């Protein structure tokens, strides 16, 4: 698929499927992903990290499991589904932070008690399905592995991208960031 078509396909998925609820949060999935990208921009992230932030929950748009899966005790593994699709087109600097964004949450819950305490109710529910806080061995492996720092940054933008009614730039504003994150051909 040509690169321009990839971005069009992503925008179409946002428009066609992004209006679904982000379960338990006061924003839709598309609003949540746009707010996460805006938080990255406001934090001075480079365009490739902004692309990762925008796409971090893309797996929720491409899988076919119902949005209330967490409340039914099902972990949809959306981070793997999203990364597996996106890595066909985008560099690891886009896909690896988002692949790790759930692990980053489990990591932060282990190393920052105040982080765990501040999780939203929905995020606390999904944490249990995702395996709970990291074990000490998982903490060490996360810190030693690649893209851990980027995944933690992404996670913090993710956590603030849940504000009802917050205005964001439109999808088209992020086209250059997405283009910056495409694999070299
Ligand atoms: Fe998210």
């Amino acid at each position: 698929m040509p690169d321009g078509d990839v971005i069009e396909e992503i925008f179409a998925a946002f428009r066609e499927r992004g209006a679904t609820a982000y379960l338990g949060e006061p924003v839709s999935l598309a609003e949540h992903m746009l707010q996460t990208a805006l938080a990255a921009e406001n934090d001075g992230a480079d365009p490739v990290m902004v692309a990762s932030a925008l796409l971090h929950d893309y797996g929720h748009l491409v899988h076919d499991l119902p949005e209330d899966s967490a409340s039914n005790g099902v972990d949809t593994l959306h981070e793997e589904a999203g990364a597996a699709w996106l890595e066909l087109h985008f560099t690891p600097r886009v896909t690896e932070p988002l692949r790790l964004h759930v692990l980053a949450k489990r990591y932060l819950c282990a190393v920052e008690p105040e982080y765990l305490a501040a999780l939203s109710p929905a995020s606390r529910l999904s944490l249990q399905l995702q395996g709970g806080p990291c074990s000490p061995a998982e903490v060490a492996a996360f810190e030693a592995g690649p893209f851990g720092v980027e995944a933690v940054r992404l996670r913090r933008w993710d956590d603030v991208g849940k504000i009802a009614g917050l205005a964001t730039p439109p999808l088209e504003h992020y086209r250059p960031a997405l283009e910056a994150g495409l694999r070299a051909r």
Side-chain angles (χ1 to χ4, degrees):
M1 193 187 314
D3 290 339
D5 293 354
V6 172
I7 293 175
E8 290 309 320
E9 179 169 338
I10 289 169
F11 284 1
F14 268 77
R15 294 190 188 101
E16 291 162 15
R17 307 187 67 178
T20 52
Y22 183 34
L23 187 81
E25 307 289 0
V27 289
S28 72
L29 261 177
E31 289 169 336
H32 168 59
M33 292 163 78
L34 285 163
Q35 288 189 21
T36 303
L38 180 60
E41 282 188 286
N42 290 343
D43 197 29
D46 72 18
V48 177
M49 276 303 296
V50 171
S52 188
L54 180 70
L55 298 174
H56 80 278
D57 276 339
Y58 195 67
H60 280 310
L61 297 184
V62 295
H63 76 61
D64 288 321
L65 290 167
E67 289 308 323
D68 62 349
S69 292
S71 59
N72 292 327
V74 175
D75 182 354
T76 59
L77 297 177
H78 71 283
E79 68 279 16
E80 285 295 339
W85 192 90
L86 293 165
E87 71 185 1
L88 301 175
H89 308 289
F90 291 93
T91 71
R93 289 189 60 227
V94 173
T95 59
E96 296 319 290
L98 71 87
R99 189 193 306 279
L100 293 172
H101 84 278
V102 172
L103 185 55
K105 168 182 157 186
R106 296 181 54 230
Y107 167 80
L108 285 167
C109 286
V111 301
E112 287 185 9
E114 61 278 19
Y115 180 87
L116 175 58
L119 283 184
S120 69
S123 195
R124 191 177 293 257
L125 173 65
S126 60
L127 173 67
Q128 295 315 314
L129 296 172
Q130 290 155 349
C134 280
S135 69
E138 288 172 325
V139 165
F142 182 84
E143 290 177 344
F147 295 106
V149 170
E150 291 84 355
V152 166
R153 290 186 80 194
L154 171 53
R155 187 73 224 182
R156 296 192 194 280
W157 303 324
D158 184 2
D159 290 327
V160 298
K162 303 175 177 179
I163 300 170
L166 179 74
T168 61
L171 269 177
E172 196 61 44
H173 171 78
Y174 294 102
R175 184 184 294 273
L178 293 176
E179 288 172 344
L182 289 169
R183 284 184 178 279
R185 298 283 167 183

